[in-house]
Amino acid sequence: MTIDSSIVEELDDVSRPTEAPDTAAFAAASQKRKQQRPGRKLLFLRNSKAITGLVIIGFFTLIAIIGPWIAPYDPSAQSDDLLQPPSWEHWMGTTHLGQDIFSQLIIGTRGVMVVGFVAGILATAIGVIVGVTAGYVGGMGDESLSALSNVFLVIPQLPLIIIIAGQLPSVGGLTVAVVIAVTGWAWGARVLRAQTLSLRRRDFVEAARASGERSWRIITAEIMPNLTAIIASGFVGTVTFAVLSLITLAFIGIGSGGDWNWGTILFWAQSQLALQRGAWWWFIPAGLCIALLGMGLTLINFGIDEFVNPRLRSTGMNARKLRKRGIRPRIGFTPVAAPVAAPVGSGAGRTTKGERA
């Protein structure tokens, strides 16, 4: 009995061991892909909004740190230059008592930044503890903590801050920060509770619970990393609210008169009728600093949103490339091809509703 040679060749091919893949070529291709996508691990820092916001916040933080050393005058020192406009001697003019406004602005930056960040850190910590705990434990604990959050949520925050600060014997920067933190944590706690409720029944959390992991280990290692972007966004919003609350309290005269901040400058400008006197240099610089700081915090918040949302991230990070291809990037929408100019009366260059990138 003879066996066909073709069958023998096929059997040899099947029995022959397969060659191992070229690991060196695979590693080289992987390295090449990584080189083509530089800074992949720093996607947040590639966002133009986030970079602009961080630069603004970093500038004010630097001024807050070195302010007492670079201020040309004592902010409370009086002189004979009464209500003078900006000059080489006084870059931002003087007050009705001859005080240098530029020095007041620099020294006041520290109070604003300290209160904003201290209140933001404390309020965020309270919100994380209450919100995550309520969402994870459930039952009576969830109902109790949720009721506490609802109480603070429906109370008007600013009037409550004014009442508490007005009853205290001495109101300093840290006191105002603590009062703002105690009254401003409820909204963040509610958001974190809702997100924790959706995460505690996920497969990876159930697997960690089935494997015998402790509750604190599940919360810190499984749930908290998925809440990082929400916590960061809440922190930025709390800092913004704390800064505006501090300036509002100082503007209406609640606070220590010896602690300079931008609200204190506006308070004295308003009480001395700077607008009627035409002393624009007394209130415009402080107002611009408040607006610039708020813009920096808002840009960071926008950057966080675009970083955590894949649709916003892809459009925002590739906006320049899309424009080069003639596509108009629209954050939150599908990029649409830009219309091409065409001679009058011709049908060329028109885009229809269905044209997408």
Side-chain angles (χ1 to χ4, degrees):
M1 180 178 179
T2 59
I3 302 177
D4 192 358
S5 60
S6 61
I7 298 177
V8 175
E9 292 178 358
E10 291 179 359
L11 293 175
D12 291 340
D13 293 337
V14 172
S15 61
R16 186 181 300 117
T18 58
E19 296 181 358
D22 191 353
T23 56
F26 180 78
S30 178
Q31 185 67 23
K32 184 178 180 180
R33 285 195 299 269
K34 292 181 179 180
Q35 293 177 357
Q36 291 175 353
R37 296 180 298 177
R40 193 65 178 176
K41 297 181 180 180
L42 299 175
L43 292 176
F44 179 72
L45 297 180
R46 293 173 57 187
N47 187 285
S48 59
K49 296 183 180 66
I51 293 176
T52 305
L54 289 174
V55 169
I56 295 174
I57 300 302
F59 170 76
F60 283 115
T61 303
L62 180 63
I63 295 298
I65 294 174
I66 66 175
W69 291 282
I70 64 175
Y73 301 97
D74 183 356
S76 301
Q78 303 179 9
S79 65
D80 296 332
D81 299 328
L82 306 180
L83 209 63
Q84 295 297 316
S87 60
W88 287 109
E89 187 175 359
H90 301 283
W91 290 0
M92 293 185 180
T94 60
T95 66
H96 66 295
L97 298 177
Q99 299 167 334
D100 185 66
I101 297 177
F102 181 66
S103 300
Q104 294 178 356
L105 202 66
I106 292 178
I107 298 297
T109 305
R110 173 175 292 185
V112 173
M113 300 301 292
V114 168
V115 171
F117 281 101
V118 170
I121 292 172
L122 293 179
T124 302
I126 298 173
V128 169
I129 293 173
V130 175
V132 176
T133 303
Y136 183 78
V137 299
M140 290 298 298
D142 182 17
E143 294 180 2
S144 302
L145 294 175
S146 297
L148 181 64
S149 301
N150 292 335
V151 170
F152 280 91
L153 193 61
V154 299
I155 295 177
Q157 295 181 358
L158 187 58
L160 180 62
I161 293 172
I162 294 174
I163 294 173
I164 296 176
Q167 297 299 321
L168 295 176
S170 61
V171 183
L174 293 179
T175 304
V176 174
V178 173
V179 172
I180 293 173
V182 171
T183 58
W185 57 269
W187 178 256
R190 293 290 296 174
V191 175
L192 291 174
R193 173 185 174 274
Q195 293 297 323
T196 305
L197 286 173
S198 66
L199 289 173
R200 70 175 183 175
R201 296 304 179 189
R202 299 287 180 89
D203 293 338
F204 60 91
V205 176
E206 294 290 348
R209 189 182 293 111
S211 62
E213 295 287 351
R214 297 180 181 273
S215 298
W216 66 267
R217 172 67 171 72
I218 297 175
I219 292 175
T220 56
E222 303 294 341
I223 295 179
M224 290 291 291
N226 293 280
L227 300 175
T228 303
I230 300 176
I231 294 173
S233 180
F235 170 77
V236 172
T238 306
V239 171
T240 305
F241 172 75
V243 170
L244 294 178
S245 299
L246 171 67
I247 294 172
T248 302
L249 292 175
F251 181 74
I252 62 179
I254 298 178
S256 177
D259 296 336
W260 286 99
N261 59 66
W262 301 338
T264 309
I265 299 174
L266 295 178
F267 167 76
W268 287 110
Q270 185 269 341
S271 62
Q272 297 300 322
L273 305 177
L275 182 61
Q276 285 77 1
R277 295 184 178 185
W280 55 267
W281 59 87
W282 200 344
F283 54 88
I284 286 183
L288 289 177
C289 289
I290 296 171
L292 192 61
L293 180 61
M295 184 181 70
L297 294 171
T298 304
L299 289 175
I300 293 177
N301 201 1
F302 287 164
I304 294 174
D305 291 339
E306 294 185 10
F307 176 72
V308 300
N309 191 325
R311 189 175 184 181
L312 298 180
R313 180 171 64 244
S314 60
T315 304
M317 294 179 57
N318 299 309
R320 186 176 300 176
K321 295 180 180 179
L322 293 174
R323 293 192 188 95
K324 290 182 179 179
R325 294 170 54 188
I327 300 174
R328 183 174 69 253
R330 301 167 62 197
I331 299 298
F333 300 92
T334 304
V336 182
V340 181
V344 179
S346 65
R350 297 179 182 177
T351 57
T352 62
K353 295 182 179 179
E355 290 183 356
R356 302 293 182 186

